[in-house]
Amino acid sequence: MNQLPHIIDSHCHLDRLNLSTHGESLDAALDAARQNGVSHFLCVSIDLENYPAMLDLVKDYPDVSVSVGVHPNERDCEEPTAEQLLELAKHKKVIAIGETGLDYFRVKKADTDWQRDRFRTHIQAAKSCGKPLIIHNREAGEDTLRILREEGADAVGGVMHCFVEDWETAQKSIDMNFYISFSGIVTFKNATELKEVAKQVSLDRMLIETDSPYLAPMPYRGKPNEPAYVRYVAEHIAELRGISVEEVAEATTRNFFTLFNSARDNTTSNATN
Ligand SMILES: [Zn+2]
């Protein structure tokens, strides 16, 4: 079997994986991913209540980094202050702020002031600690870009995670110092417009992710997703662009460490403070 080049799962929720096919062992799931070429994992925070347990779960793995933040779909949870996020972001495992952003799919827009306030809090925290942002946007592209602009988020940049918008939104995001991350959605047959975006985005602005346990790529669509499957995203993008998977792997890995430059420190030492 061909040894796959190193790839990175730039967005996964390791504390939420369905581990039934791995004997309920996170170790085994991570090993399966490593055997599929995955050399680093960014485990993304969704709320503060589960954050300590998430950090505890992954803190001894040198190839796992984390973010801290509260997802825009988490309505009834502890509301983070910028000070709180900054305090948590001091931990050396934390390489990003998020995931944060806007989601008008699940909540009516008229009732989303709290989402926009929370989003601004995250951007302010990211700017204060100099760590990039992980942006979630669902059916809220215009407001997301507007708030990023108003808050000067280009100073830290970040990633538009699980990107599903059009080329214009991709272009505007890149202009604001953001990377575009493709998930398993790009492998879906009906994702025609997204495939076009994946062909057009400059290789040096692209990241890949699973968003596992959600959104499994083809051929596992509808099943629980896991970090090992990020290879299918890389392979599909390579196929779309008519280039080798090595090129996609090399570019997205380099981009990851350029954007999240503190992730390197986690790979070189056993980060357990
Ligand atoms: Zn996510």
Side-chain angles (χ1 to χ4, degrees):
M1 196 184 96
N2 282 351
Q3 182 60 43
L4 267 163
H6 285 179
I7 47 179
I8 290 177
D9 188 354
S10 73
H11 190 117
C12 50
H13 301 283
L14 298 178
D15 54 335
R16 291 167 180 241
L17 295 184
N18 178 332
L19 297 168
S20 55
T21 56
H22 295 287
E24 302 304 329
S25 158
L26 177 61
D27 268 336
L30 294 176
D31 273 340
R34 292 176 190 120
Q35 277 160 29
N36 277 278
V38 181
S39 61
H40 206 88
F41 309 82
L42 174 45
C43 180
V44 174
S45 158
I46 278 179
D47 61 31
L48 297 184
E49 287 84 348
N50 289 300
Y51 177 76
M54 182 195 90
L55 179 64
D56 200 52
L57 181 72
V58 301
K59 68 178 180 0
D60 293 332
Y61 297 108
D63 52 1
V64 179
S65 297
V66 305
S67 71
V68 62
V70 180
H71 196 289
N73 280 341
E74 299 298 305
R75 170 125 212 203
D76 302 312
C77 65
E78 186 183 344
E79 194 59 43
T81 63
E83 293 68 32
Q84 232 173 339
L85 293 171
L86 282 171
E87 192 52 40
L88 294 168
K90 281 182 187 160
H91 192 289
K92 68 172 295 193
K93 275 286 190 194
V94 178
I95 63 169
I97 301 296
E99 60 184 282
T100 182
L102 302 174
D103 192 318
Y104 296 164
F105 177 73
R106 304 233 178 113
V107 196
K108 281 209 170 42
K109 193 186 165 182
D111 183 34
T112 47
D113 279 349
W114 60 276
Q115 276 194 4
R116 287 181 292 278
D117 290 346
R118 184 187 288 173
F119 187 21
R120 289 183 196 275
T121 301
H122 281 77
I123 302 171
Q124 286 152 15
K127 286 173 72 183
S128 301
C129 66
K131 293 186 180 181
L133 287 151
I134 300 172
I135 306 296
H136 170 104
N137 156 32
R138 192 157 179 203
E139 297 184 7
E142 235 170 82
D143 279 5
T144 301
L145 289 170
R146 176 175 59 78
I147 291 175
L148 288 173
R149 200 175 306 115
E150 286 173 4
E151 296 292 334
D154 58 332
V156 284
V159 55
M160 305 305 259
H161 119 78
C162 195
F163 190 83
V164 290
E165 307 275 315
D166 59 8
W167 170 245
E168 199 190 333
T169 308
Q171 187 68 66
K172 285 182 179 163
S173 308
I174 292 169
D175 289 346
M176 257 194 296
N177 198 17
F178 279 75
Y179 287 74
I180 306 297
S181 181
F182 294 98
S183 68
I185 293 178
V186 78
T187 69
F188 297 174
K189 279 207 172 56
N190 55 359
T192 352
E193 195 183 0
L194 187 61
K195 288 180 200 289
E196 281 310 310
V197 178
K199 279 196 224 175
Q200 282 187 65
V201 167
S202 161
L203 263 190
D204 63 5
R205 302 306 295 189
M206 184 187 284
L207 295 173
I208 50 175
E209 66 174 86
T210 58
D211 201 13
S212 51
Y214 317 107
L215 296 168
M218 298 290 282
Y220 296 101
R221 186 172 184 178
K223 305 230 171 69
N225 197 4
E226 58 179 81
Y229 299 164
V230 71
R231 65 174 287 185
Y232 296 103
V233 179
E235 284 168 358
H236 191 77
I237 291 173
E239 202 182 303
L240 285 173
R241 297 177 72 111
I243 59 177
S244 68
V245 69
E246 285 78 8
E247 275 176 88
V248 174
E250 198 267 326
T252 51
T253 298
R254 190 185 26 181
N255 296 341
F256 180 85
F257 287 112
T258 303
L259 175 61
F260 302 112
N261 47 34
S262 53
R264 281 253 184 251
D265 305 337
N266 289 335
T267 63
T268 49
S269 66
N270 206 357
T272 52
N273 60 25

